[in-house]
Amino acid sequence: MESGGRFIKPSLVHGDLWYGNAAINSETGCPLVYDASSFYAHNEYELGNWRPERNKFSRSYFNAYHSHIPKSAPEDDYDDRNALYSMRFNLQAAAIFPKKPSYRDLVTDEMKRLIAKYPNGYEEEGGNSTTPTAQILPRSFDVNEVSIPAVGFGTFQGDNGNGQVKESVLKALQTGYRHIDTASAYGNEKEVGEAIKESGVLREEIFVTTKLAQTWHNPSEVEEALVQSLKTLKLDYVDLYLMHFPHAYSAGPNHSTLRHPNGKPAIDYELSRAYPQTWQAMEKLVDSGKARLIGKIISSQHFTVHPVNLKLGLSNFSIIKTKRILEVARIRPAVNQVEMHPYLPQQELLDFCSAEGIHITAHQPLGGRPVAAVNPNSDRPGPLLDSTILLSWALQRGVSVVPKTVQEIRMIENRALSSISGEHMTSISKIVESTGTIRYLDPKEHIGYGLGIPRPHIPLVINIIAVAESLFYLVAFLPYSTYLQRAAVHPPVPSRPERKALFEKCYKFIPDPETYLDRWFLGAPQEEIKRDNVKEFIQWAFFNRGGEAGDDDEELEEYVTAYETLVGRKFEPGRGNAECLRLTLDPIDMLHRSLAWYMCVGFVDLLTYIGLLRAGFHFHRTSLSRFFTLFPFRPQTILTTKRSPAKYTTYWHRPHTSTTHLPVLFIHGIGIGLYPYVSFLSEINSADLPSEDGSGGQIGVIALEIHPVSFRLTHAPLAPAVLCAEIASILNHHGYSRVVLATHSYGSVIATHLLAHTETAPMIADMVLIDPVTILLHLPDVAYNFTRRPPQSASEHQLWYFASMDMGVAHSLARHFFWSENVLWKEDLEGRDVTVSLAGRDLIVNTQAVGQYLADGNEDADEEGDEEVPEMSEDGDLLVQEGWKHRTWRGKGLDILWFDNLDHAQVFDTPTTRRPVLKAVRAYAASGL
Ligand SMILES: NC(=O)c1ccc[n+]([C@@H]2O[C@H](COP(=O)([O-])OP(=O)(O)OC[C@H]3O[C@@H](n4cnc5c(N)ncnc54)[C@H](OP(=O)(O)O)[C@@H]3O)[C@@H](O)[C@H]2O)c1
């Protein structure tokens, strides 16, 4: 009575020694007694008889039995023991009904399973085992008072559709599966429900899992979602209800998934972030909602009432997201169903969930489709493993599985699992170290949405733009902006008499000394502006340099004393904390411009091109080899056949056909090139203007393009002599020996140079200077307002952001704008008729001071009586309006056009404001010959 270390103690427990359990050994003739005591020593032997399905005893019967007679120890083996006991009866049934193969199959399946499970024989509780490392694989896991079968059955059939679902679930139930995993999103709840019904297996013996689909995440709809699932399943309850994914899809009609044209689902971002609220709505299904739910189903479908112990769970939840659920959960999730196999062991998630008492079920335990882990034809990486090994590995880690198959043999195989040795476990767990993790259901690929932090799907074009912008920032802006900071090359220092002369000229016209100092010293408190600070400023302004006073101290002292007289107080000795504005010495402030911005500049350039072509202008390009020296590139320039004789300067030309008028040379200001001037330029010959001049042709116009101040990336401003030589060559190229010069804003800087240059000065006839920045340049307004003023109003912000902070503009001003070279004095205008157009609300130029300066001592004006015009203010005060602002334009000597309500450059905006300026241009053109 002893074999393999196991024995039974003979003891009389039952007197039933009948022929059914006694025999004669045919070889030895000895009597044999079957292990009758082992049969009867366990009360469960009888249960073995009832267990086979044909006897139709449900688990509740067994439960009722054990409520009177508890299960005998060891309880872990209870089911297997029971299976063993029932085998005798099943064998008998198989022998009696040989035509019913299912009886025989049942026995062989059971035998195979038991042999697989106990390959080394039965290990007694606390007893010695022949394989000490072997572990018993669990048949189920106890989770929150329910028992989840360790091997469930997956029903997702993917692209193959749901044609085989019913049949395979039916087979699965027949071959012993008692956990069916379905989902509303699989669209097969109907087939699953039908198979459950037809299987004959009692509902309470089956553990059914379904899932809340992603188009039902709205908390107000969660209950309806479960009702729908139950109706489709034709079940009155499910055992486990999972939130299929943390993220939600936008729902179309009937809760279908809305999709993008590329087929990817449209994510509902708001609901995707609200998964904790969706969970709270699921919780309501369990407590108060439970009764209502069943009530509903009863009334609509007449289902029977069962006590429901609905468990809730998650699916595809990361640690972070599970934690968020735990933060709000009243009812803790029982399960988290996630992709898990040796290539994606998710050890951290498993540890976290185990610690939190959340059971993990592995979906795609075989690697999903196309079964990388077990399918030799799969082109996915990783060593091949036997399916039973994969599943055993999971079970041994405490993870239940839901493999899917449509093949009966595989259904059996996937349940016939045996424990694997510790060494084998370790080697499987190490596979991932060489393969790297492989996620077969990668939401990033699948739906363009990660399981980690929610992130919107970014279209390819946006990605391309982002990469291009980043590259542009790193490769163009950063190095170029650093390069532009190089020190300026200042013009030669003037001689002492020249300096003194300049100082005195400036000194004579400082209308408001306090503001003068305040602006040049950037608003510093008076007491911080000490002698050395003033000297520092003078050194920059009149000596073109920084550094210490040195040999020039005596001269500097002289100027400082003059300033003291001007402001009526002494400067304290030494240096205060004041900083002064030294435009060409200070670091350059500039801002990054995006590639998109340059594309906009390119587009406006194209519009300008079209506008000027339509107005009869021809574009004159420089050499094609310079194509790449101007960004944004100008593909339209390739279309022109006209060449500029200059190396750097491009321009637009409208041919001159008039014999009675001079042509016009126009130079624009800082901005987006010639775009704002297209109307102005085309109207120089507009029919709207009076034509009584009898020109008999058209006035030719040359409009230069000054790229360094046109929001482009290009060369630095040309040195005055180079630029003047280029302009002279352009005028000569067209045979223009004299032109009327019209400039706007920064264009007046070039006007100053043209007047000072021996070759170009005689070519300039009369002039129209619109919003000139060069007159009274010794005053701080232009430099301060353009480069240092903290912007307040919308137009100041516009000026600051678009113009002042542009790389090219900022560099042109901070490294190539030498005020003493650019300043235009009244006497420089003598000998020409000049119209200066000033805007009363100019945000850059102190036009009040400029107008006053130009009007002072203007004899022509005095002749006509430059009277001050009294006017009443709104509150009755007597105001004195300067007469020079209201004088009629005469076209002789120095004329001022004053536009009370306009800002810088606004004169170009409407035909009405353009008209007087155009009139001056045309009149000068007419009178110039
Ligand atoms: N919660 C979720 O988001 C989620 C996601 C994916 C899956 N799931 C659940 O998890 C279940 C399983 O996942 P899955 O179906 O994608 O993948 P799987 O079970 O890992 O693999 C299924 C594939 O393996 C094959 N197969 C099954 N047993 C085999 C064996 N013994 N030998 C060789 N090949 C075998 C099947 O082919 P045959 O059918 O031809 O045998 C099928 O192609 C699903 O059905 C579904 O219920 C849940």
Side-chain angles (χ1 to χ4, degrees), residues 153-157 181-182 186 211 242 244-245 315-316 337-338 362-371 374-375 387-388 402-407 410 413-414 441:
F153 188 71
T155 61
F156 177 62
Q157 309 227 343
D181 179 72
T182 180
Y186 301 163
K211 307 179 191 107
L242 306 179
H244 205 151
F245 282 92
S315 180
N316 301 304
Q337 188 184 103
V338 295
H363 68 64
Q364 294 162 284
L366 304 175
R369 283 170 314 112
V371 209
V374 293
N375 184 349
S387 66
T388 54
V402 283
K404 164 261 164 184
T405 176
V406 291
Q407 301 178 33
R410 287 178 170 178
E413 197 174 294
N414 292 349
L441 179 72

Side-chain angles (χ1 to χ4, degrees), residues 473-641:
Y473 178 78
L474 294 171
V475 177
F477 175 75
L478 278 188
Y480 193 53
S481 56
T482 314
Y483 169 79
L484 293 183
Q485 293 287 354
R486 285 169 317 148
V489 180
H490 287 82
V493 183
S495 65
R496 183 163 178 172
E498 284 170 338
R499 287 198 293 264
K500 190 166 168 61
L502 182 60
F503 182 83
E504 282 171 359
K505 219 178 206 178
C506 301
Y507 189 77
K508 262 196 241 161
F509 200 91
I510 299 181
D512 180 355
E514 283 302 347
T515 310
Y516 173 84
L517 270 194
D518 181 73
R519 291 279 159 82
W520 278 125
F521 283 91
L522 305 170
Q526 271 187 15
E527 60 278 13
E528 296 296 341
I529 307 174
K530 299 188 179 168
R531 289 191 88 73
D532 288 351
N533 299 94
V534 180
K535 284 181 189 171
E536 185 181 58
F537 166 68
I538 296 170
Q539 263 186 325
W540 168 72
F542 298 97
F543 292 70
N544 285 338
R545 68 173 178 83
E548 293 306 311
D551 297 346
D552 312 314
D553 204 37
E554 181 215 325
E555 189 184 347
L556 288 171
E557 280 293 336
E558 186 189 328
Y559 299 152
V560 173
T561 314
Y563 276 135
E564 285 176 334
T565 315
L566 194 69
V567 294
R569 61 187 156 84
K570 291 273 175 214
F571 296 118
E572 273 183 55
R575 178 182 290 275
N577 285 327
E579 292 284 334
C580 64
L581 198 172
R582 298 181 306 163
L583 189 60
T584 52
L585 291 176
D586 296 339
I588 313 177
D589 274 346
M590 49 186 134
L591 284 178
H592 164 240
R593 292 280 180 273
S594 64
L595 201 52
W597 162 251
Y598 286 109
M599 294 304 110
C600 294
V601 172
F603 178 67
V604 174
D605 193 28
L606 184 67
L607 295 182
T608 313
Y609 183 87
I610 294 166
L612 287 173
L613 277 186
R614 290 180 60 189
F617 284 78
H618 304 296
F619 178 64
H620 290 245
R621 61 168 173 80
T622 52
S623 154
L624 283 180
S625 64
R626 296 197 53 77
F627 183 85
F628 292 108
T629 61
L630 181 73
F631 186 79
F633 306 125
R634 310 175 92 186
Q636 65 268 34
T637 67
I638 297 169
L639 304 174
T640 190
T641 52

Side-chain angles (χ1 to χ4, degrees), residues 454-474:
R455 83 181 154 81
H457 168 69
I458 301 171
L460 180 65
V461 61
I462 303 283
N463 278 317
I464 292 172
I465 291 172
V467 170
E469 287 289 7
S470 310
L471 281 177
F472 183 71
Y473 178 78
L474 294 171

